[in-house]
Amino acid sequence: MEITKDIRYVGVNDHEIDLFEGQYKVENGMAYNSYVIVDEKIAVMDTVDGSFYEEWMQKIRQILGSRTPDYLVVQHMEPDHSANISAFLQAFPNTVIVSSAPAFNMVKQFFGTDYADRRLIVKEGDTLSLGVHTLQFIGAPMVHWPEVIVTYDQHDKVLFSADGFGKFGALDVEEEWACEARRYYFGIVGKFGMQVQNLLKKAAALDIQIICPLHGPILKENLEYYVNLYQTWSSYGVESEGIMIAYTSVYGNTKAAAKLLADKLTERGCPKVVLTDLAREDMAECIEDAFRYGKLVLATTTYNTDMFPFMREFIHELAGHNYQNRTVALIENGSWAPLAAKAMRAKLEACKDITFAEHTVQIRSALNEDSIAQIEALAEELCS
Ligand code: FEO
């Protein structure tokens, strides 16, 4: 695949994977992107997952013919991109490995050597001439590992963005970009909003025509759309008007309360209501929705003087991903000593700028006149 006259795609699609990074369901597979820049000197941009060494090398050799690569640029040391460094450098003994200083510490950890005799350490602002193409390196620490760099090709105005602007899904499957890019972003990068903001500021100073990420499609058109979404996501802004109701339910009574609230919100014309069973929905999808909308209702049963396990996991994950700047309402159920609302509130204290709704709903075992009235009041408050 030709990206520009001199830049070729040599990535691979993985349809065998069950869980990406050991935890994310990827029903449409995963793409590990890699690129070759052919100039007077040749640079290969990152490797791919270890299972695809042969396929990746075959693509590279097809492009290079009798030539050999001068540089292997390593932007990120997570093994979905770095697994083949050692094999590649063995196959091409004259190739120089180019990366950041912290990356070489990890190279040593993963491969037992930091290639001191054939490496080029680059830092913010350094450039590398390939001929007509000049690569400019930009630090992107903690997006989402500390060693990350991104690379700007000054000639073709291409940003090689590492994991930034990536998504779940192989490239031979058609699907909407934002849905799986959002789940990817909040799952993997979401905690590091400030660091993404720093990178976006640096990128704003460049004339970027094409974005080549390490996962997902190459972005060539309407780049403003993708950059604006990244601005919203990394600043923890509200992307879509709406309310997410996330519940756990043992015998259906808490679910009935969550459902009733959803109906009351819809009746009042709330633009979007998302109702989610935390025990059954993909957790990464739940996290994504919590960040997407401005208001979140948490409904759960009291369990072991705490909350139900799936709710505990959900709030723990939200806090771990830097959930903030949202309105949260609580619904608790308890047959003898309701404590779930108190427990949820305590766990959410780790999150910045959370506004709790004035009305907290309490259900004693099952809905009754009193708890239905509380749900009415909460619906009114959330819609006003
Ligand atoms: Fe795609 Fe952070 O590895």
Side-chain angles (χ1 to χ4, degrees):
M1 194 205 314
E2 194 174 287
I3 293 161
T4 67
K5 186 170 80 50
D6 299 331
I7 301 177
R8 310 291 167 79
Y9 180 81
V10 290
V12 296
N13 288 316
D14 184 353
H15 285 289
E16 297 303 313
I17 189 166
D18 59 342
L19 293 176
F20 177 65
E21 291 190 358
Q23 60 172 319
Y24 299 103
K25 289 178 190 154
V26 283
E27 281 167 14
N28 288 334
M30 201 65 205
Y32 313 112
N33 298 340
S34 169
Y35 308 89
V36 177
I37 308 171
V38 181
D39 198 342
E40 282 166 35
K41 301 260 171 126
I42 291 172
V44 175
M45 305 299 293
D46 296 291
T47 86
V48 296
D49 182 87
S51 317
F52 296 88
Y53 176 71
E54 292 300 335
E55 182 183 339
W56 173 67
M57 280 294 270
Q58 203 180 357
K59 289 180 180 185
I60 293 172
R61 286 189 196 278
Q62 218 162 30
I63 290 166
L64 300 191
S66 59
R67 296 183 68 187
T68 54
D70 296 277
Y71 302 109
L72 172 65
V73 178
V74 173
Q75 302 186 107
H76 180 21
M77 275 305 295
E78 197 161 12
D80 52 333
H81 312 293
S82 69
N84 299 303
I85 288 175
S86 168
F88 183 83
L89 293 179
Q90 247 175 300
F92 297 113
N94 296 319
T95 301
V96 169
I97 172 171
V98 181
S99 198
S100 66
F104 282 107
N105 294 334
M106 293 184 188
V107 170
K108 183 157 191 183
Q109 288 170 188
F110 278 111
F111 303 107
T113 170
D114 56 7
Y115 297 100
D117 56 341
R118 53 188 294 198
R119 73 178 180 195
L120 179 62
I121 297 175
V122 292
K123 58 181 186 329
E124 180 78 33
D126 283 357
T127 57
L128 177 65
S129 172
L130 303 177
V132 297
H133 295 262
T134 297
L135 301 183
Q136 177 183 338
F137 301 104
I138 297 153
M142 295 320 296
V143 182
H144 62 125
W145 277 27
E147 82 296 358
V148 175
I149 51 170
V150 301
T151 308
Y152 179 64
D153 174 0
Q154 294 176 350
H155 184 266
D156 283 352
K157 304 187 190 314
V158 173
L159 181 70
F160 295 93
S161 59
D163 276 340
F165 299 98
K167 69 181 271 299
F168 297 125
L171 296 194
D172 52 3
V173 179
E174 287 260 332
E175 63 181 359
E176 193 213 344
W177 186 86
C179 183
E180 284 297 73
R182 188 189 301 106
R183 191 166 70 95
Y184 176 92
Y185 176 86
F186 284 110
I188 292 170
V189 191
K191 180 181 173 63
F192 305 104
M194 196 172 67
Q195 289 83 354
V196 175
Q197 287 269 297
N198 289 341
L199 180 58
L200 289 173
K201 273 184 210 132
K202 294 184 203 175
L206 304 169
D207 175 10
I208 298 167
Q209 299 297 321
I210 299 174
I211 297 175
C212 289
L214 287 176
H215 303 287
I218 288 101
L219 307 174
K220 287 186 158 184
E221 280 163 20
N222 199 12
L223 296 190
E224 209 185 4
Y225 166 76
Y226 305 101
V227 172
N228 285 344
L229 277 178
Y230 257 61
Q231 284 288 4
T232 302
W233 297 343
S234 58
S235 61
Y236 303 98
V238 174
E239 181 188 341
S240 308
E241 278 306 314
I243 301 175
M244 180 191 192
I245 305 170
Y247 68 87
T248 68
S249 193
V250 186
Y251 295 107
N253 290 304
T254 312
K255 178 180 180 175
K259 175 88 175 55
L260 180 67
L261 177 65
D263 294 343
K264 298 285 175 199
L265 292 169
T266 306
E267 272 168 28
R268 282 171 169 77
C270 178
K272 174 90 179 168
V273 180
V274 178
L275 187 63
T276 303
D277 180 346
L278 292 174
R280 290 174 177 82
E281 181 61 84
D282 171 43
M283 192 51 78
E285 191 76 38
C286 300
I287 299 290
E288 167 196 346
D289 276 340
F291 279 97
R292 178 173 185 172
Y293 300 103
K295 292 176 182 172
L296 174 65
V297 181
L298 301 172
T300 195
T301 319
T302 302
Y303 188 83
N304 289 342
T305 65
D306 192 18
M307 66 194 88
F308 204 63
F310 295 100
M311 180 61 78
R312 197 170 52 231
E313 182 191 347
F314 182 53
I315 299 177
H316 181 79
E317 287 298 317
L318 287 179
H321 286 78
N322 239 339
Y323 186 73
Q324 56 186 273
N325 191 30
R326 296 291 187 277
T327 297
V328 176
L330 305 174
I331 300 176
E332 68 177 356
N333 196 347
S335 290
W336 61 95
L339 284 167
K342 190 177 163 205
M344 288 190 283
R345 193 183 277 263
K347 253 194 150 338
L348 283 160
E349 250 143 42
C351 303
K352 268 200 307 189
D353 298 327
I354 299 295
T355 307
F356 286 100
E358 197 184 310
H359 294 89
T360 293
V361 175
Q362 187 179 86
I363 303 150
R364 302 299 297 242
S365 304
L367 282 171
N368 62 16
E369 211 175 288
D370 180 37
S371 46
I372 290 170
Q374 292 177 45
I375 286 172
E376 285 277 2
L378 178 58
E380 190 59 38
E381 182 185 351
L382 291 174
C383 281
S384 63

